Amino acid sequence: MTHEIIDDLNWRRTTKKFDPTRKVSEEDLNILLEAIRLSPSSINSQPWRFVVIDSQEARERMASTFTSTFEFNKPHVFDATYFILFGYNPRYTREDYAEVVDTQIEDGRLKPEDREKGFRSFFFAEMNTDENGDTSCWTKAQLYIALGNALHTLARLRIDSTPIEGLDTDRVNEEFREELDGYQCDVALAIGYHHADDHNATLPKSRRRMDSILVRI
Ligand SMILES: Cc1cc2nc3c(=O)[nH]c(=O)nc-3n(C[C@H](O)[C@H](O)[C@H](O)COP(=O)(O)O)c2cc1C
């Protein structure tokens, strides 16, 4: 099948080794961040927060969270141009949704006098909140929409990336507690350009066959 979307998606590969001499431009980073911000989410909840690790000091802090289990992901902290923490809100509340409603008023989507109506869809968040106020299953699902959107955007920009769940999440969340501000990070994204020695860059793409994943009725 040939189509530029399919070409983009076939082009992208998870990078196993980044080339530290090639840098993603600030302009491309900003396109990526804007694409992430524009990601859709249930009831427009946007229950996410992103921490871009850029400075040497922040990289060293990130590197310090790795223990032997996920050592294979550690070089990306220094070799990728940016290492981005993806956080979700584990306890999404009406107060969090108020920012969404008020932004909808600011953006001209909702009239100020209809502010209360703007909260009608919040029942969806309540449906996805357990007896302890935990919304993780739901908010984490929203965050992964942003992750998928980021991966596609990067493919279009011909920028390499590695989505990373291989993190010592307790240590990451402790180290970046202040920056994450109550959001939980279970996944990160390294972006940059792959090294000439990256074995994964030339392996054929492999996916389950269409008839194994799809039913048309
Ligand atoms: C949510 C998520 C977490 C992942 N975590 C890691 C990881 O910690 N380290 C790694 O090298 N690859 C990681 N991967 C990459 C997958 O192994 C990879 O996407 C998959 O094998 C398909 O290969 P491709 O991305 O090259 O098409 C992750 C991918 C996703 C989507």
Side-chain angles (χ1 to χ4, degrees):
M1 186 189 293
T2 54
H3 186 282
E4 61 187 80
I5 294 174
I6 304 303
D7 292 345
D8 291 344
L9 295 173
N10 270 316
W11 173 88
R12 70 151 293 285
R13 299 276 198 293
T14 289
T15 297
K16 300 290 175 179
K17 187 174 181 184
F18 284 92
D19 178 349
T21 67
R22 290 191 65 200
K23 301 290 181 199
V24 173
S25 69
E26 185 74 24
E27 189 190 347
D28 282 344
L29 174 68
N30 288 334
I31 294 169
L32 172 66
L33 296 176
E34 184 64 353
I36 287 174
R37 192 180 73 88
L38 289 169
S39 300
S41 54
S42 177
I43 64 164
N44 207 11
S45 53
Q46 305 161 72
W48 43 53
R49 183 172 175 88
F50 306 93
V51 178
V52 178
I53 294 182
D54 183 10
S55 69
Q56 189 60 22
E57 188 213 344
R59 286 174 203 269
E60 274 156 24
R61 286 172 59 198
M62 185 66 215
S64 77
T65 67
F66 281 88
T67 53
S68 54
T69 320
F70 301 116
E71 194 76 22
F72 57 95
N73 284 322
K74 189 173 169 180
H76 306 332
V77 173
F78 296 106
D79 296 344
T81 313
Y82 300 105
F83 197 97
I84 307 173
L85 304 183
F86 277 56
Y88 61 90
N89 187 339
R91 307 180 74 79
Y92 195 83
T93 62
R94 201 184 140 91
E95 210 171 276
D96 294 309
Y97 198 52
E99 183 187 339
V100 170
V101 171
D102 289 332
T103 307
Q104 285 176 347
I105 293 172
E106 258 175 61
D107 290 339
R109 241 187 108 82
L110 187 68
K111 293 194 190 108
E113 58 271 30
D114 290 338
R115 186 172 186 272
E116 213 36 51
K117 281 190 199 152
F119 284 95
R120 280 183 187 161
S121 41
F122 188 70
F123 85 94
F124 228 93
E126 287 167 340
M127 258 170 49
N128 286 288
T129 307
D130 80 5
E131 59 283 6
N132 304 311
D134 190 337
T135 56
S136 297
C137 282
W138 181 66
T139 47
K140 191 168 173 175
Q142 312 312 316
L143 179 66
Y144 276 69
I145 298 171
L147 178 65
N149 190 23
L151 294 175
H152 190 182
T153 302
L154 290 165
R156 293 197 64 175
L157 291 167
R158 292 293 187 264
I159 293 171
D160 289 314
S161 62
T162 307
I164 301 175
E165 278 180 337
L167 299 170
D168 293 290
T169 52
D170 287 349
R171 293 172 65 106
V172 172
N173 284 285
E174 182 54 34
E175 180 61 42
F176 294 96
R177 189 154 35 144
E178 205 181 311
E179 293 87 352
L180 285 165
D181 197 23
Y183 286 67
Q184 169 74 22
C185 171
D186 292 346
V187 66
L189 180 66
I191 71 168
Y193 294 99
H194 72 267
H195 195 281
D197 295 344
D198 178 6
H199 71 275
N200 207 42
T202 49
L203 285 177
K205 196 118 197 124
S206 179
R207 292 292 190 266
R208 289 170 63 194
R209 301 294 173 251
M210 195 63 90
D211 63 4
S212 166
I213 64 166
L214 178 77
V215 183
R216 276 182 74 159
I217 52 174

